[in-house]
Amino acid sequence: MATKQRISAELARMAVAYRHPLDADELRALVSTWDELCNDISDAEFIAACKAHMRKSPFFPCPANVLREHAERPVKTTLPALPKEPEEKTPQFGSLVLAAFRGDPEARAAMERIKAGRVVQ
């Protein structure tokens, strides 16, 4: 949840950036309104949405602008890597490819076996 302190700080920052002076009473009223409308956004998400709006728009935002920026931002999730079975590898595969490329008949035969799905020993 975006805290009132964060909302106040971001509104003040945008007021300066957009040269949109706010007196203390207006800022309090805006913070109260924005707090009601942006209560499901975290502080970090609120900051990111405000920055995204400032990058795109030459106008001071209303809550709908910031909420739209928040909705359009991709969701970042950190998922742990799933364990993966080690893949079957052909030892010295690079050397084998190079030898086949250079015309070695044994290497070419081994490459053909690999293409056919048979394991090379």
Side-chain angles (χ1 to χ4, degrees), residues 29-79:
L30 281 175
V31 168
S32 175
T33 302
W34 281 62
D35 181 46
E36 287 177 34
L37 298 172
C38 299
N39 62 1
D40 59 339
I41 302 175
S42 72
D43 279 349
E45 292 169 332
F46 184 75
I47 293 168
C50 289
K51 285 181 181 179
H53 174 80
M54 290 173 63
R55 286 187 193 105
K56 294 179 183 177
S57 177
F59 302 107
F60 190 83
C62 66
N65 298 125
V66 173
L67 290 170
R68 183 176 52 245
E69 290 296 337
H70 171 68
E72 291 174 358
R73 293 184 59 79
V75 176
K76 293 183 180 179
T77 57
T78 54
L79 298 175

